[in-house]
Amino acid sequence: MSEEGYKKILEEINYLESVERPKASAAIAEAREKGDLSENAEYDAAKENQGKLESRIALLKDQVANARIIDQSKISCDKVQIMNKVRLLNKRMNKEMIYTIVAESEANFREGKISVQTPIAKALLGHVVGDVVEVRVPAGVQQLEILEISI
C-alpha cells in the first residue's frame, strides 16, 4: 500500500481508539444504569456497536501489521502495475477514464482509486500503452485502450 494509505489507516485506528471506543463504553454504562439487563434493548444495541467497533479496530490493526509500503519512486510506468495512474479510453462509450490502481484497503471510487482486485485492474495489469484490453463487467464486455500510464 502507499504511505498515504498507511497513514490514513493509522489515523483511523487512533480516532476509533481515542474517540469512538470511549463513546461506546459510555453508552454501555448509561444503558447499564437503566436497570434489568436481560430486557434492556439499549444495552444490547450498545454492546453490539462495541463489538462492531472492536472488530473494525482489529481488522485495521491486522492490515497495518501485514502492510508493505510501496516506494513510489521505484514504480515503473512501462506497464500497468499497482500504484499506477492509468488513463483509458472506453471504446464502446468513447469516453476517457482515469483510475489509480491501489491496494484493496485504499480503494475509493469517488477518488478514482480502484482495488487491484477489481476486474478492470486485473485486466489492465501487465499491459502497456496502446494495448486494448477486454474486461468483463456487470454491464457486459468493455474494451479499454490504455492511453497513458503514470504515477
Side-chain angles (χ1 to χ4, degrees):
M1 77 174 46
S2 69
E3 190 167 343
E4 174 190 346
Y6 185 80
K7 286 179 182 177
K8 279 185 181 180
I9 292 175
L10 291 178
E11 288 171 8
E12 185 176 354
I13 291 170
N14 185 43
Y15 172 78
L16 293 175
E17 288 181 335
S18 62
V19 177
E20 293 299 322
R21 188 180 270 163
K23 280 185 189 177
S25 295
I28 290 170
E30 183 180 321
R32 189 178 288 139
E33 291 174 1
K34 295 187 178 176
D36 184 14
L37 299 180
S38 64
E39 295 181 17
N40 188 334
E42 191 176 329
Y43 177 78
D44 292 340
K47 287 295 281 183
E48 184 178 334
N49 285 339
Q50 182 187 39
K52 289 178 182 177
L53 174 66
E54 294 302 327
S55 291
R56 177 75 180 151
I57 291 170
L59 174 73
L60 292 172
K61 284 186 172 185
D62 186 55
Q63 286 179 354
V64 166
N66 293 312
R68 200 176 80 216
I69 297 174
I70 297 173
D71 182 356
Q72 289 186 317
S73 68
K74 295 182 180 176
I75 294 175
S76 167
C77 294
D78 296 341
K79 59 184 178 179
V80 178
Q81 59 185 323
I82 191 166
M83 304 305 294
N84 278 144
K85 183 178 283 191
V86 185
R87 189 166 59 93
L88 305 165
L89 175 65
N90 183 319
K91 298 284 227 174
R92 188 176 69 174
M93 297 168 49
N94 198 30
K95 179 180 173 187
E96 281 193 21
M97 305 173 295
I98 298 175
Y99 295 122
T100 302
I101 300 173
V102 297
E104 196 165 354
S105 61
E106 295 182 71
N108 183 332
F109 194 73
R110 283 187 218 120
E111 295 176 5
K113 296 178 178 180
I114 61 171
S115 166
V116 71
Q117 298 298 321
T118 62
I120 292 174
K122 285 181 178 179
L124 293 172
L125 292 175
H127 287 275
V128 298
V129 172
D131 283 358
V132 176
V133 296
E134 288 193 355
V135 183
R136 183 169 302 282
V137 293
V141 176
Q142 302 278 334
Q143 286 190 327
L144 305 174
E145 181 180 353
I146 302 171
L147 302 175
E148 180 183 5
I149 302 170
S150 61
I151 297 176

